[in-house]
């Protein structure tokens, strides 16, 4: 308060004057004085508001409040503005501190998005949680819009950005405007939110031995991710032994990730090692654990915790390990018996950093794949979800939506949510029903609008599609009206009797008996007299040019010679 004198302040602060003596401060007394001052101000404001409310109310309701309010025990600890009505002394934060983290898992409801029939190998959510993108072994990338979907749960776009290459990883940038696509080829692609190509990384020279002397990967990509702070930067790792743009060791990196602050780059390699680089210094590793997992077992995922001090690794040796990067020689905790058949099985931290979860793999018809949750401190399995009768590959827990997305080996995308604890996302599309199509609203033909055409060339605008459909129905050509039945032997290639096809006509003629037992010579000579009297075909063409035939007269000698040859006569 302004009424306090310098002496009072000096007595409170623990010194008696401003002489040449050293100043000493009693911090406990200063904090206590500040706290009591805040309590007094809160009580005065609360008493003023209560007096105003009592004066505004009807005087007949009850006696007025006393001018000075005696604070209760709870009011003595009140610091700051007055409490709102209905406020209890125990806040929600205090209750949450003692609450079991398992109860925060949103798994009471689920929806299923049908990506395809093959493994869903990549999942990505934009930072706002409005769109989900999924990729699989069927080369397809599907775009799901939670706000635009209805209860049919259909993707609004499907494309194959990398042709016949399997999709390995999908991730939205920190701004959510572009998507990084990692496939089985050597070139990463960047798409915009609607799936159109933005850029494609160049391919390196595969005949150069030193990978530092070529720009671009020369072998199949395995993973990639965006920088968490710089929106234009991303990195990829490949079978050529490099993590671009930093040269890795001569081992194949399987997965890579940034730390939450973007200052560290981590890669899990095929030799079982985990290597961490400082992004701004050099290519030499800052942290390196050579035997993090069994050599030859692909480390499928690395994930930093939200506090940035802990790293989780999902190994192909059926383990899940937790590491403290400040002491990177041995893991803090290890969970065994988590079957992993895929090189893309995820592990993630919950938004409150108290749980760590991953998926398990199963062979065909040998059980269900599970989503297993572990307590980060004790590393005990606290919860699990039976997802489906296939491997659980991809999984992520969005902090804003508070929903869990899971990609499975049989082409499903499971979305787990809680109606009370989750926000938007899957809840938006379930509230919408499928809109029925009205056939009368469909245009019978495309209408070309020519606003500046002459009136004689301008088409009449369709006022009503329903009337246009009725008009086209009366037109036999537009409505494809069938032709009436043929009357008679046949017309237009169709036969009237015994069916309207050629095969039925042939069968009919085969069955007819067309045998003629008469003498063929007599059948021809029946037309001889008509041909001689009225020639029509050959004779009229040669009437003027045909000469008269002259034949030699036959002699007796010729007749005798014809009777018997000389060599057949009997010799005496």
């Amino acid at each position: 308060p302004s009424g306090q004198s310098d002496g009072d302040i000096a007595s409170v602060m623990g010194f008696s004057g401003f002489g040449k003596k050293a100043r000493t401060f009693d911090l406990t007394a200063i904090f206590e004085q500040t706290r009591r001052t805040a309590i007094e101000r809160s009580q005065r404001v609360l008493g003023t508001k209560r007096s105003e409310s009592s004066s505004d109310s009807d005087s007949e309701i009850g006696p007025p409040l006393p001018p000075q309010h005696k604070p209760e025990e709870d009011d003595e600890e009140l610091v700051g503005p007055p409490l709102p009505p209905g406020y209890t002394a125990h806040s929600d934060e205090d209750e949450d501190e003692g609450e079991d983290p398992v109860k925060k898992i949103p798994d009471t409801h689920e929806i299923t998005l049908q990506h395809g029939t093959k493994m869903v190998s990549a999942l990505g959510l934009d930072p706002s949680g409005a769109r989900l993108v999924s990729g699989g072994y069927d080369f397809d990338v599907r775009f799901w819009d939670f706000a635009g979907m209805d209860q049919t749960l259909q993707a609004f776009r499907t494309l194959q950005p990398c042709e016949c290459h399997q999709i390995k990883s999908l991730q939205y940038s920190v701004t959510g405007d572009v998507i990084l696509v990692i496939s089985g080829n050597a070139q990463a692609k960047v798409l915009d939110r609607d799936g159109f190509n933005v850029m494609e990384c160049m391919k390196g020279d595969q005949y150069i031995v030193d990978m530092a002397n070529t720009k671009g990967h020369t072998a199949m990509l395995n993973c990639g991710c965006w920088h968490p702070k710089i929106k234009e930067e991303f990195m990829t790792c490949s079978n050529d032994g490099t993590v671009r743009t930093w040269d890795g060791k001569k081992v194949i990196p399987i997965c890579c990730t940034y730390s939450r602050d973007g200052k560290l780059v981590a890669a899990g390699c095929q030799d079982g090692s985990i290597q961490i680089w400082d992004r701004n210094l050099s290519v030499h590793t800052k942290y390196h654990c050579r035997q993090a997992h069994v050599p030859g077992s692909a480390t499928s995922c690395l994930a930093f915790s939200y506090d940035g001090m802990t790293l989780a690794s999902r190994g192909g040796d059926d383990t899940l390990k937790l590491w403290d990067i400040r002491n990177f020689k041995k893991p803090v905790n290890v969970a065994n018996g988590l079957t992993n058949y895929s090189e893309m099985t995820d592990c993630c931290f919950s938004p409150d950093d108290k749980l760590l979860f991953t998926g398990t793999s199963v062979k065909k018809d040998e059980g269900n794949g599970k989503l297993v949750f572990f307590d980060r401190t004790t590393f005990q399995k606290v919860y699990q979800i039976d997802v489906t009768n296939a491997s659980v590959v991809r999984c992520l827990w969005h902090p804003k939506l508070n929903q869990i997305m899971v990609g499975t080996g049989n082409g499903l995308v499971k979305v787990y949510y809680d109606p009370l604890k989750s926000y938007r996302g899957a809840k938006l599309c379930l509230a919408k029903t499928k809109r029925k199509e009205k056939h009368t609203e469909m245009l019978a033909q495309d209408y070309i609008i020519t606003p500046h055409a002459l009136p004689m060339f301008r088409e009449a605008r369709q006022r009503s599609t329903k009337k246009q459909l009725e008009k086209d129905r009366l037109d036999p050509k537009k409505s494809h009206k069938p032709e009436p039945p043929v009357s008679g032997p046949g017309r237009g290639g169709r036969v009237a009797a015994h069916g309207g096809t050629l095969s039925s006509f042939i069968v009919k003629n085969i069955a007819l008996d067309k045998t003629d037992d008469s003498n063929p010579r007599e059948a021809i000579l029946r037309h001889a007299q008509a041909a001689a009297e009225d020639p029509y075909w050959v004779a009229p063409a040669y009437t003027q040019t045909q000469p008269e035939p002259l034949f030699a007269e036959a002699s007796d000698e010729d007749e005798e010679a014809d009777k018997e040859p000389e060599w057949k006569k009997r010799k005496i």
Side-chain angles (χ1 to χ4, degrees):
S2 60
Q4 290 181 344
S5 63
D6 295 339
D8 297 337
I9 297 176
S11 62
V12 171
M13 302 185 79
F15 56 87
S16 59
F18 294 93
K20 295 182 180 180
K21 295 181 180 180
R23 297 180 180 180
T24 58
F25 298 89
D26 189 357
L27 298 179
T28 305
I30 295 174
F31 294 153
E32 182 66 23
Q33 180 65 25
T34 306
R35 189 179 68 84
R36 291 187 177 279
T37 303
I39 292 174
E40 292 174 1
R41 288 181 178 178
S42 301
Q43 291 174 355
R44 283 200 299 269
V45 172
L46 185 61
T48 304
K49 295 202 172 200
R50 287 184 178 177
S51 61
E52 291 176 358
S53 62
S54 62
S55 62
D56 294 340
S57 60
D58 191 0
S59 59
E60 296 180 358
I61 294 178
L65 293 174
Q68 293 182 352
H69 171 64
K70 182 179 181 181
E72 299 177 357
E73 295 180 0
D74 293 337
D75 293 337
E76 293 179 359
E77 300 297 330
L78 182 65
V79 178
L83 297 175
Y87 178 81
T88 59
H90 301 286
S91 62
D92 295 338
E93 296 180 356
D94 297 337
E95 295 178 358
D96 291 343
E97 290 179 357
E99 186 179 356
D100 189 0
V102 178
K103 296 181 180 179
K104 297 182 180 180
I105 299 176
D107 67 326
T108 57
H109 296 70
E110 72 173 40
I111 64 172
T112 300
L113 307 178
Q114 184 68 41
H115 173 86
T117 57
K118 295 184 179 181
M119 178 187 294
V120 177
S121 56
L123 283 178
L125 264 175
D126 68 341
S128 64
R131 285 190 177 181
L132 171 69
V133 60
S134 62
Y137 272 21
D138 53 358
F139 320 137
D140 287 344
V141 174
R142 292 180 182 265
F143 292 79
W144 315 83
D145 191 352
F146 289 117
M149 285 192 301
D150 53 18
Q151 292 182 356
T152 57
L153 305 177
Q154 298 295 323
F156 74 90
R157 180 164 287 113
T158 302
L159 50 91
Q160 292 185 356
C162 303
E163 296 180 350
C164 57
H165 293 283
Q166 298 170 350
I167 306 300
K168 295 293 191 70
S169 175
L170 295 170
Q171 188 181 24
Y172 277 89
S173 64
V174 291
T175 56
D177 55 346
V178 289
I179 307 168
L180 176 62
V181 180
I182 304 297
S183 63
N185 61 355
Q187 297 171 272
K189 284 191 175 182
V190 177
L191 309 178
D192 63 4
R193 287 180 61 86
D194 295 324
F196 297 102
N197 193 16
V198 176
M199 63 161 290
E200 183 178 12
C201 298
M202 63 181 301
K203 187 175 181 180
D205 189 351
Q206 58 186 354
Y207 297 103
I208 294 180
V209 178
D210 189 1
M211 291 292 103
N213 294 331
T214 181
K215 296 182 180 179
H217 290 292
T218 60
M220 179 183 68
L221 297 177
N222 286 318
C223 187
C225 59
W226 290 97
H227 192 283
K229 301 294 183 182
I230 305 174
K231 65 178 182 178
E232 295 87 4
E233 181 180 322
F234 64 91
M235 69 174 176
T236 57
C237 64
S238 168
N239 277 4
D240 60 5
T242 62
V243 177
R244 299 287 174 176
T245 59
W246 300 269
D247 294 333
K249 300 297 181 181
K250 261 306 181 184
V251 292
I252 299 176
I254 302 299
C255 59
C256 58
T257 185
Y258 282 104
S259 61
R260 298 285 177 177
D261 56 3
K263 296 181 180 180
L264 298 177
V265 174
C269 302
Q270 202 173 35
D271 62 348
S273 65
I274 297 177
Q275 305 179 30
I276 302 178
W277 294 269
D278 191 335
R279 174 184 170 273
N280 296 324
L281 293 181
S282 64
V283 296
H284 299 288
T285 57
K286 186 175 183 180
Y287 308 104
H288 191 180
C289 184
R290 298 186 181 277
Q291 299 293 333
H293 292 278
V294 176
S297 63
T299 303
S300 59
C301 182
L302 295 176
F304 278 94
S305 61
Y306 285 89
D307 57 16
M309 293 292 103
T310 305
L311 178 69
S313 64
R314 181 70 165 99
D317 53 357
D318 301 343
T319 61
L320 176 65
K321 296 185 179 182
L322 199 64
W323 307 83
D324 189 345
I325 61 175
R326 296 165 294 187
N327 184 14
F328 206 56
K329 295 181 180 180
K330 61 179 181 179
V332 178
N333 287 306
V334 179
N336 298 309
L338 303 174
T339 308
N340 185 9
Y341 296 143
S342 174
E343 294 184 356
M344 289 163 286
T345 304
D346 274 337
C347 63
C348 302
F349 286 89
S350 62
D352 57 2
D353 246 4
K354 294 182 180 180
L355 297 177
L356 177 64
F357 62 99
T358 185
T360 61
S361 302
V362 293
K363 293 184 178 179
K364 189 176 181 180
D365 301 331
E366 290 187 2
N368 292 340
K370 299 178 177 60
L371 197 64
V372 188
F373 295 81
F374 295 90
D375 187 273
R376 177 181 169 181
T377 305
T378 62
F379 226 62
Q380 297 293 324
K381 185 171 72 171
V382 294
Y383 195 73
Q384 74 176 19
I385 301 174
D386 288 344
V387 180
T388 185
N389 57 348
S391 300
V392 177
V393 184
R394 294 295 190 181
C395 57
L396 51 90
W397 190 338
H398 197 269
K400 292 183 180 179
L401 301 182
N402 194 24
Q403 299 178 12
I404 301 175
M405 283 68 178
V406 179
T408 66
N410 57 353
L412 301 179
V413 177
K414 296 275 190 176
V415 181
Y416 295 95
Y417 69 98
D418 191 308
L420 301 178
K421 302 173 183 177
S422 301
Y423 305 95
R424 300 178 66 83
K427 297 171 62 177
L428 297 178
C429 52
L430 292 179
K432 299 180 181 179
T433 58
K434 184 178 180 181
R435 182 172 176 262
K436 295 182 179 180
E437 296 181 356
K438 296 181 179 180
H439 297 284
T440 57
E441 295 182 359
M442 297 174 61
L443 293 176
Q445 61 182 1
D446 295 335
Y447 175 66
I448 302 175
I449 300 175
T450 54
H452 302 293
L454 295 175
M456 60 184 300
F457 299 110
R458 189 179 302 170
E459 296 182 4
R461 188 173 182 179
Q462 298 179 1
R463 297 297 180 182
S464 174
T465 56
K466 185 175 181 181
K467 292 183 178 180
Q468 183 66 28
L469 290 174
E470 293 177 353
K471 183 178 179 181
D472 293 342
R473 183 63 180 169
L474 301 177
D475 190 348
K477 292 184 178 180
K478 292 184 178 180
S479 62
H480 300 285
K481 183 178 180 181
E483 297 182 4
V486 180
S487 59
R491 185 177 181 181
R494 295 190 302 158
V495 182
H498 301 282
T501 62
L502 179 62
S503 59
S504 61
F505 177 73
I506 294 174
V507 171
K508 170 195 169 185
N509 291 332
I510 290 175
L512 296 178
D513 187 8
K514 295 183 178 180
T515 57
D516 189 3
D517 297 334
S518 61
N519 190 354
R521 184 174 181 275
E522 294 179 356
I524 294 174
L525 292 178
R526 277 184 293 184
H527 306 282
Q529 184 178 358
E533 294 177 353
D534 187 14
Y536 179 77
W537 297 106
V538 179
Y542 300 98
T543 52
Q544 297 180 2
T545 59
Q546 183 69 22
E548 296 182 0
L550 298 176
F551 302 104
E553 297 180 357
S555 61
D556 297 337
E557 295 178 358
D558 295 336
E559 293 178 359
E560 293 178 358
D562 294 337
K563 291 180 180 179
E564 188 175 357
E566 186 66 25
W567 59 275
K568 287 187 177 181
K569 292 181 179 180
R570 183 176 180 185
K571 295 181 180 180
I572 302 174

